[in-house]
Amino acid sequence: MSNKMWGGRFASGPDAIMEEINASIGFDYRLAAQDIRGSRAHVAMLAEAGIVGREHAQAIARGLDQIQGEIEAGTFVFSRSLEDIHMNIESRLAEIIGPDAGRLHTARSRNDQVAVDFRLWIRDTVDDLDLQMRDLQQALAERALENAGAVMPGFTHLQSAQPVTFGHHLLAYVEMLSRDRGRLADARERLNECPLGAAALAGTSFPIDREATARALGFDRPTANSLDSVSDRDFVLEVLGAAAICAVHLSRLAEEIVLWVTPQFGFVQLSDKFTTGSSIMPQKRNPDAAELVRGKAGRVIGSLNGLMIVMKGLPLTYSKDMQEDKEGAFDALQSLSLCIAAMTGMIRDLAPDLKRMKAAAGAGFSIATDLADWLVRELKMPFRQAHHVTGSLVKLASDRKIGLEKLSLADMQSVEPQITQAVFEVLGVEKSVRSRKSYGGTAPANVRAQAKRWVAKLAKEAAKAG
């Protein structure tokens, strides 16, 4: 008896080990909705083109509806021996309507079938991720508006550098997420071509209408080259690339939260909703949600690298290696979705300690640049000379274990006689941030305006979407 998947060429079924390595139903069942959607569009086109009789197409459509209902109800039985989601659905269709189920595969191969299914799934997932990123941006922008004037230290090399505001810091991540969304939107636009109709690799001799199936599935156009259609996985790589960059951004914010909640920083607190305790140390409140966001970034990046390695040596067109494109992508994009949700929750939950932040903002002589700028602006010094004078004053204050603002005028004039009492008008963390009025700077007025702009923009997007 021949194998029912592969026809008369094979006299028997696969070895158990072959079945184990070959089967993909354990993960590609996630493509069920997209597979049914693609099959509906395909059979409707076949009927319209006169390739399949309308009564057969209607029976197939009714059978697909029943299968979708069974899958949604959880009563559909997935069979490992049928290898993948495509054959599981086709086999069940045959049980429902009989041999006419076989007409569905006319002018179609599993190669173009999986290509269209996976594009549809990736496209759906990109749309969901975009909504999640927008919600995270909204949370960040709202908290930024609340804290537009809250002074905190800004760091370079994780050393206190210049005072900034907490709102300004949060808005930096809004900008990062904006780029992340832009990358996903760009990838979505490029992937929105329909490979259905490329068949195994060379196209088909049947008079199909690829424009019709592309329209029915919401694609902009059919793909232009049948070889590329079935062998292309750029659409997965691009989305995983954008996802990996987003995961890096989330990981950086997660790392900052991990630092901020330590007693040594004490900048913010997270509630019980996003922390855990210790089995042995009763005082502990661990930022596990943030740590897991940081950790899962590695999974997303790893999935991108894994698929690039799979694809790098494949000649045209389809090879079974490409079955390895899905598990990593499913895991990566599910992980990213979970990380975005967790970060959105943490941002809404965290409580900043504004007094602690402000006190830390003055540490490490963070207002030294303000002093140097004053020397340039008021005494017309070249900046390099002002830098040197300020460095000498920092050393003097450091030796005395006081802040720059605690030096007397006489102390300052001992280093630079031209300094006047007016210098003290710029020495202070709040004075420092207020002075940073250049576009994109940390002045509270700037931050408030930017936060309001983002809140309004994101609210408008949400209203338009829904």
Side-chain angles (χ1 to χ4, degrees), residues 131-199:
L131 294 178
Q132 284 191 281
M133 290 182 189
R134 186 192 70 202
D135 289 345
L136 176 52
Q137 283 183 295
Q138 188 79 29
L140 287 162
E142 289 171 356
R143 298 310 304 271
L145 187 56
E146 293 170 14
N147 295 280
V151 179
M152 69 173 290
F155 299 96
T156 61
H157 308 277
L158 204 56
Q159 302 293 312
S160 186
Q162 291 179 265
V164 296
T165 72
F166 188 44
H168 193 55
H169 197 108
L170 295 178
L171 284 178
Y173 287 98
V174 177
E175 296 291 338
M176 292 183 211
L177 286 161
S178 180
R179 296 193 296 273
D180 292 329
R181 292 179 67 194
R183 275 183 283 269
L184 282 178
D186 185 54
R188 189 194 191 282
E189 182 178 355
R190 198 161 16 257
L191 73 81
N192 207 36
E193 296 182 343
C194 184
L196 194 59

Side-chain angles (χ1 to χ4, degrees), residues 146-372:
E146 293 170 14
N147 295 280
V151 179
M152 69 173 290
F155 299 96
T156 61
H157 308 277
L158 204 56
Q159 302 293 312
S160 186
Q162 291 179 265
V164 296
T165 72
F166 188 44
H168 193 55
H169 197 108
L170 295 178
L171 284 178
Y173 287 98
V174 177
E175 296 291 338
M176 292 183 211
L177 286 161
S178 180
R179 296 193 296 273
D180 292 329
R181 292 179 67 194
R183 275 183 283 269
L184 282 178
D186 185 54
R188 189 194 191 282
E189 182 178 355
R190 198 161 16 257
L191 73 81
N192 207 36
E193 296 182 343
C194 184
L196 194 59
L201 76 160
T204 178
S205 59
F206 289 96
I208 61 172
D209 185 348
R210 294 192 63 205
E211 294 281 355
T213 48
R215 283 194 303 272
L217 293 170
F219 289 105
D220 294 331
R221 64 192 71 84
T223 50
N225 183 285
S226 62
L227 300 174
D228 182 54
S229 299
V230 299
S231 63
D232 168 43
R233 291 299 182 270
D234 289 1
F235 65 96
V236 192
L237 289 169
E238 282 198 70
V239 169
L240 286 177
I245 296 172
C246 181
V248 168
H249 292 156
L250 296 178
S251 182
R252 295 180 72 181
L253 179 53
E255 168 65 6
E256 295 200 302
I257 291 173
V258 169
L259 289 172
W260 291 345
V261 299
T262 61
Q264 290 75 18
F265 274 77
F267 288 178
V268 303
Q269 284 190 338
L270 287 172
S271 76
D272 296 350
K273 295 177 181 178
F274 294 97
T275 56
T276 65
S278 164
S279 63
I280 190 173
M281 297 169 283
Q283 84 281 7
K284 292 295 291 299
R285 183 191 289 273
N286 300 319
D288 282 10
E291 291 172 4
L292 287 166
V293 168
R294 188 178 60 187
K296 286 180 185 294
R299 292 174 69 164
V300 181
I301 296 165
S303 295
L304 170 62
N305 289 339
L307 183 54
M308 291 179 75
I309 294 166
V310 166
M311 296 300 297
K312 72 174 182 63
L314 297 186
L316 295 180
T317 57
Y318 183 82
S319 296
K320 195 68 172 184
D321 312 50
M322 291 167 67
Q323 184 169 288
E324 296 299 316
D325 62 354
K326 295 173 196 64
E327 282 186 281
F330 290 152
D331 181 78
L333 299 182
Q334 180 181 354
S335 294
L336 182 62
S337 175
L338 182 58
C339 288
I340 297 170
M343 187 57 71
T344 304
M346 282 187 282
I347 292 299
R348 295 195 186 281
D349 180 72
L350 61 81
D353 186 332
L354 302 184
K355 289 183 179 179
R356 184 71 176 261
M357 285 185 177
K358 183 177 178 181
F365 306 102
S366 65
I367 57 174
T369 305
D370 297 275
L371 174 55

Side-chain angles (χ1 to χ4, degrees), residues 24-193:
S24 60
I25 190 61
F27 50 86
D28 69 13
Y29 70 88
R30 291 179 177 85
L31 299 177
Q34 289 78 18
D35 194 72
I36 291 171
R37 198 189 320 171
S39 291
R40 283 197 187 107
H42 183 66
V43 76
M45 180 275 295
L46 292 177
E48 191 65 29
I51 299 169
V52 168
R54 291 193 180 277
E55 68 280 9
H56 296 136
Q58 289 168 0
I60 289 170
R62 286 194 299 270
L64 291 172
D65 288 344
Q66 180 176 330
I67 291 168
Q68 183 170 10
E70 291 173 0
I71 292 172
E72 291 173 352
T75 59
F76 187 91
V77 179
F78 295 98
S79 171
R80 190 171 184 79
S81 66
L82 291 171
E83 188 180 325
D84 58 31
I85 187 60
H86 322 300
M87 295 308 301
N88 268 264
I89 289 175
E90 185 174 324
S91 178
R92 177 59 181 145
L93 185 63
E95 291 175 355
I96 296 170
I97 70 170
D100 282 337
R103 300 180 189 277
L104 175 59
H105 211 54
T106 306
R108 185 176 74 171
S109 164
R110 282 191 296 173
N111 292 354
D112 63 338
Q113 189 177 357
V114 71
V116 76
D117 290 0
F118 205 14
R119 279 184 190 249
L120 289 169
W121 188 90
I122 290 287
R123 191 179 70 183
D124 292 344
T125 302
V126 165
D127 291 344
D128 291 341
L129 287 171
D130 182 71
L131 294 178
Q132 284 191 281
M133 290 182 189
R134 186 192 70 202
D135 289 345
L136 176 52
Q137 283 183 295
Q138 188 79 29
L140 287 162
E142 289 171 356
R143 298 310 304 271
L145 187 56
E146 293 170 14
N147 295 280
V151 179
M152 69 173 290
F155 299 96
T156 61
H157 308 277
L158 204 56
Q159 302 293 312
S160 186
Q162 291 179 265
V164 296
T165 72
F166 188 44
H168 193 55
H169 197 108
L170 295 178
L171 284 178
Y173 287 98
V174 177
E175 296 291 338
M176 292 183 211
L177 286 161
S178 180
R179 296 193 296 273
D180 292 329
R181 292 179 67 194
R183 275 183 283 269
L184 282 178
D186 185 54
R188 189 194 191 282
E189 182 178 355
R190 198 161 16 257
L191 73 81
N192 207 36
E193 296 182 343

Side-chain angles (χ1 to χ4, degrees), residues 387-408:
H387 186 285
H388 181 79
V389 169
T390 302
S392 298
L393 289 169
V394 166
K395 185 178 186 306
L396 179 61
S398 178
D399 290 344
R400 296 185 182 181
K401 295 181 171 51
I402 58 175
L404 276 172
E405 71 280 5
K406 299 297 184 181
L407 290 173
S408 68

